[in-house]
Short mmCIF file of all heavy atoms in Angstrom, two decimals:
data_model
loop_
_atom_site.label_atom_id
_atom_site.label_comp_id
_atom_site.label_asym_id
_atom_site.label_seq_id
_atom_site.Cartn_x
_atom_site.Cartn_y
_atom_site.Cartn_z
N GLY Y 1 59.88 -48.24 49.38
CA GLY Y 1 61.09 -48.39 48.59
C GLY Y 1 60.78 -48.67 47.15
O GLY Y 1 59.65 -48.51 46.68
N LEU Y 2 61.80 -49.09 46.44
CA LEU Y 2 61.68 -49.43 45.02
C LEU Y 2 61.78 -50.93 44.86
O LEU Y 2 62.74 -51.53 45.32
CB LEU Y 2 62.78 -48.71 44.22
CG LEU Y 2 62.61 -48.65 42.71
CD1 LEU Y 2 63.48 -47.52 42.15
CD2 LEU Y 2 62.99 -49.97 42.05
N VAL Y 3 60.78 -51.50 44.23
CA VAL Y 3 60.76 -52.93 43.99
C VAL Y 3 60.37 -53.23 42.55
O VAL Y 3 59.77 -52.40 41.87
CB VAL Y 3 59.79 -53.67 44.95
CG1 VAL Y 3 60.24 -53.50 46.39
CG2 VAL Y 3 58.37 -53.17 44.75
N GLN Y 4 60.70 -54.42 42.12
CA GLN Y 4 60.34 -54.86 40.78
C GLN Y 4 58.91 -55.40 40.77
O GLN Y 4 58.41 -55.86 41.80
CB GLN Y 4 61.28 -55.96 40.29
CG GLN Y 4 62.74 -55.51 40.16
CD GLN Y 4 62.93 -54.53 39.04
OE1 GLN Y 4 62.29 -54.63 37.98
NE2 GLN Y 4 63.82 -53.57 39.24
N ALA Y 5 58.26 -55.29 39.65
CA ALA Y 5 56.92 -55.85 39.51
C ALA Y 5 56.92 -57.32 39.90
O ALA Y 5 57.83 -58.08 39.54
CB ALA Y 5 56.40 -55.67 38.09
N GLY Y 6 55.90 -57.71 40.65
CA GLY Y 6 55.82 -59.06 41.14
C GLY Y 6 56.43 -59.27 42.50
O GLY Y 6 56.23 -60.32 43.11
N GLY Y 7 57.15 -58.28 42.97
CA GLY Y 7 57.79 -58.39 44.27
C GLY Y 7 56.85 -58.06 45.40
O GLY Y 7 55.67 -57.77 45.20
N SER Y 8 57.40 -58.11 46.60
CA SER Y 8 56.61 -57.85 47.80
C SER Y 8 57.25 -56.77 48.65
O SER Y 8 58.45 -56.54 48.59
CB SER Y 8 56.47 -59.14 48.64
OG SER Y 8 55.79 -60.15 47.94
N LEU Y 9 56.42 -56.15 49.46
CA LEU Y 9 56.87 -55.09 50.34
C LEU Y 9 55.93 -55.03 51.53
O LEU Y 9 54.72 -55.28 51.36
CB LEU Y 9 56.88 -53.75 49.60
CG LEU Y 9 57.81 -52.65 50.09
CD1 LEU Y 9 59.28 -53.06 49.97
CD2 LEU Y 9 57.57 -51.39 49.26
N ARG Y 10 56.46 -54.73 52.68
CA ARG Y 10 55.61 -54.59 53.87
C ARG Y 10 55.81 -53.22 54.48
O ARG Y 10 56.92 -52.85 54.87
CB ARG Y 10 55.90 -55.66 54.91
CG ARG Y 10 54.89 -55.63 56.09
CD ARG Y 10 55.13 -56.71 57.10
NE ARG Y 10 56.28 -56.43 57.95
CZ ARG Y 10 56.53 -57.06 59.10
NH1 ARG Y 10 55.72 -58.03 59.53
NH2 ARG Y 10 57.60 -56.75 59.82
N LEU Y 11 54.73 -52.47 54.55
CA LEU Y 11 54.75 -51.18 55.18
C LEU Y 11 54.30 -51.29 56.65
O LEU Y 11 53.47 -52.12 56.98
CB LEU Y 11 53.80 -50.19 54.46
CG LEU Y 11 53.97 -50.03 52.96
CD1 LEU Y 11 52.99 -48.98 52.44
CD2 LEU Y 11 55.42 -49.65 52.62
N SER Y 12 54.88 -50.46 57.48
CA SER Y 12 54.48 -50.43 58.87
C SER Y 12 54.27 -48.99 59.30
O SER Y 12 54.87 -48.07 58.77
CB SER Y 12 55.54 -51.09 59.76
OG SER Y 12 56.75 -50.36 59.74
N CYS Y 13 53.39 -48.83 60.26
CA CYS Y 13 53.09 -47.52 60.81
C CYS Y 13 52.91 -47.67 62.31
O CYS Y 13 52.10 -48.48 62.76
CB CYS Y 13 51.83 -46.93 60.17
SG CYS Y 13 51.26 -45.40 60.92
N THR Y 14 53.65 -46.89 63.06
CA THR Y 14 53.57 -46.92 64.50
C THR Y 14 53.12 -45.56 65.04
O THR Y 14 53.70 -44.53 64.65
CB THR Y 14 54.90 -47.30 65.13
OG1 THR Y 14 55.30 -48.61 64.69
CG2 THR Y 14 54.81 -47.30 66.64
N ALA Y 15 52.13 -45.59 65.87
CA ALA Y 15 51.61 -44.37 66.49
C ALA Y 15 52.18 -44.24 67.90
O ALA Y 15 52.21 -45.21 68.66
CB ALA Y 15 50.09 -44.38 66.52
N SER Y 16 52.60 -43.07 68.23
CA SER Y 16 53.13 -42.80 69.56
C SER Y 16 52.67 -41.44 70.05
O SER Y 16 52.20 -40.62 69.28
CB SER Y 16 54.66 -42.89 69.57
OG SER Y 16 55.21 -41.88 68.73
N GLY Y 17 52.81 -41.23 71.35
CA GLY Y 17 52.40 -39.97 71.93
C GLY Y 17 51.09 -40.09 72.71
O GLY Y 17 50.74 -41.17 73.19
N SER Y 18 50.41 -39.00 72.83
CA SER Y 18 49.20 -38.93 73.63
C SER Y 18 47.98 -39.44 72.88
O SER Y 18 47.06 -38.69 72.55
CB SER Y 18 48.97 -37.49 74.09
OG SER Y 18 50.06 -37.03 74.87
N ILE Y 19 48.00 -40.71 72.60
CA ILE Y 19 46.87 -41.35 71.95
C ILE Y 19 46.29 -42.38 72.93
O ILE Y 19 47.00 -43.28 73.41
CB ILE Y 19 47.25 -41.99 70.60
CG1 ILE Y 19 46.01 -42.48 69.88
CG2 ILE Y 19 48.30 -43.08 70.79
CD1 ILE Y 19 46.26 -42.81 68.42
N TYR Y 20 45.02 -42.23 73.22
CA TYR Y 20 44.40 -43.04 74.26
C TYR Y 20 43.59 -44.21 73.74
O TYR Y 20 43.46 -45.23 74.41
CB TYR Y 20 43.52 -42.13 75.13
CG TYR Y 20 44.25 -40.96 75.72
CD1 TYR Y 20 44.12 -39.69 75.17
CD2 TYR Y 20 45.12 -41.14 76.80
CE1 TYR Y 20 44.81 -38.62 75.70
CE2 TYR Y 20 45.81 -40.07 77.32
CZ TYR Y 20 45.65 -38.81 76.77
OH TYR Y 20 46.35 -37.75 77.30
N SER Y 21 43.06 -44.05 72.57
CA SER Y 21 42.32 -45.13 71.94
C SER Y 21 42.43 -45.02 70.44
O SER Y 21 42.46 -43.91 69.89
CB SER Y 21 40.85 -45.11 72.38
OG SER Y 21 40.18 -43.96 71.93
N ILE Y 22 42.50 -46.16 69.80
CA ILE Y 22 42.55 -46.22 68.35
C ILE Y 22 41.33 -46.96 67.85
O ILE Y 22 41.19 -48.17 68.07
CB ILE Y 22 43.86 -46.89 67.89
CG1 ILE Y 22 45.07 -46.10 68.34
CG2 ILE Y 22 43.84 -47.03 66.36
CD1 ILE Y 22 46.40 -46.73 67.99
N ASN Y 23 40.48 -46.25 67.20
CA ASN Y 23 39.25 -46.82 66.69
C ASN Y 23 39.40 -47.45 65.32
O ASN Y 23 38.57 -48.27 64.92
CB ASN Y 23 38.13 -45.78 66.68
CG ASN Y 23 37.81 -45.25 68.06
OD1 ASN Y 23 37.61 -46.03 68.98
ND2 ASN Y 23 37.78 -43.94 68.20
N GLY Y 24 40.43 -47.04 64.63
CA GLY Y 24 40.69 -47.59 63.32
C GLY Y 24 42.03 -47.15 62.79
O GLY Y 24 42.53 -46.10 63.18
N MET Y 25 42.59 -47.96 61.93
CA MET Y 25 43.86 -47.62 61.29
C MET Y 25 43.75 -48.03 59.84
O MET Y 25 42.98 -48.94 59.49
CB MET Y 25 45.04 -48.32 61.95
CG MET Y 25 45.17 -48.04 63.45
SD MET Y 25 46.65 -48.78 64.19
CE MET Y 25 47.91 -47.62 63.60
N GLY Y 26 44.51 -47.36 59.00
CA GLY Y 26 44.43 -47.72 57.61
C GLY Y 26 45.55 -47.12 56.78
O GLY Y 26 46.43 -46.43 57.28
N TRP Y 27 45.47 -47.43 55.52
CA TRP Y 27 46.44 -46.97 54.54
C TRP Y 27 45.74 -46.33 53.36
O TRP Y 27 44.75 -46.88 52.86
CB TRP Y 27 47.34 -48.10 54.06
CG TRP Y 27 48.27 -48.63 55.10
CD1 TRP Y 27 48.06 -49.68 55.94
CD2 TRP Y 27 49.57 -48.12 55.40
NE1 TRP Y 27 49.14 -49.86 56.77
CE2 TRP Y 27 50.08 -48.92 56.47
CE3 TRP Y 27 50.35 -47.07 54.92
CZ2 TRP Y 27 51.35 -48.71 57.01
CZ3 TRP Y 27 51.60 -46.86 55.46
CH2 TRP Y 27 52.09 -47.66 56.50
N TYR Y 28 46.25 -45.21 52.93
CA TYR Y 28 45.80 -44.53 51.74
C TYR Y 28 47.01 -44.29 50.85
O TYR Y 28 48.15 -44.33 51.31
CB TYR Y 28 45.14 -43.18 52.09
CG TYR Y 28 43.86 -43.31 52.90
CD1 TYR Y 28 43.91 -43.69 54.24
CD2 TYR Y 28 42.63 -43.06 52.32
CE1 TYR Y 28 42.73 -43.81 54.98
CE2 TYR Y 28 41.46 -43.17 53.06
CZ TYR Y 28 41.52 -43.54 54.39
OH TYR Y 28 40.35 -43.67 55.10
N ARG Y 29 46.75 -44.06 49.59
CA ARG Y 29 47.87 -43.78 48.68
C ARG Y 29 47.44 -42.73 47.67
O ARG Y 29 46.26 -42.54 47.38
CB ARG Y 29 48.32 -45.07 47.97
CG ARG Y 29 47.31 -45.61 46.96
CD ARG Y 29 47.79 -46.94 46.39
NE ARG Y 29 46.86 -47.48 45.42
CZ ARG Y 29 46.95 -48.69 44.90
NH1 ARG Y 29 47.93 -49.52 45.27
NH2 ARG Y 29 46.06 -49.11 44.01
N ARG Y 30 48.46 -42.04 47.15
CA ARG Y 30 48.23 -41.01 46.15
C ARG Y 30 49.24 -41.20 45.02
O ARG Y 30 50.45 -41.10 45.25
CB ARG Y 30 48.33 -39.62 46.74
CG ARG Y 30 48.10 -38.51 45.73
CD ARG Y 30 48.21 -37.14 46.37
NE ARG Y 30 49.52 -36.90 46.92
CZ ARG Y 30 50.58 -36.53 46.22
NH1 ARG Y 30 50.48 -36.37 44.91
NH2 ARG Y 30 51.73 -36.33 46.81
N ALA Y 31 48.73 -41.46 43.86
CA ALA Y 31 49.58 -41.55 42.67
C ALA Y 31 49.76 -40.15 42.12
O ALA Y 31 48.94 -39.25 42.34
CB ALA Y 31 48.94 -42.46 41.63
N PRO Y 32 50.85 -39.91 41.40
CA PRO Y 32 51.09 -38.59 40.83
C PRO Y 32 49.92 -38.10 39.99
O PRO Y 32 49.44 -38.83 39.11
CB PRO Y 32 52.34 -38.80 39.98
CG PRO Y 32 53.04 -39.94 40.63
CD PRO Y 32 51.94 -40.85 41.10
#
């Protein structure tokens, strides 16, 4: 979302479907 500088935000990611094991999870970002 859109927040002001100094604010906080929590991102979540949920995996579903035919996934049997998760060896790692992470976050990446791309600026324009």
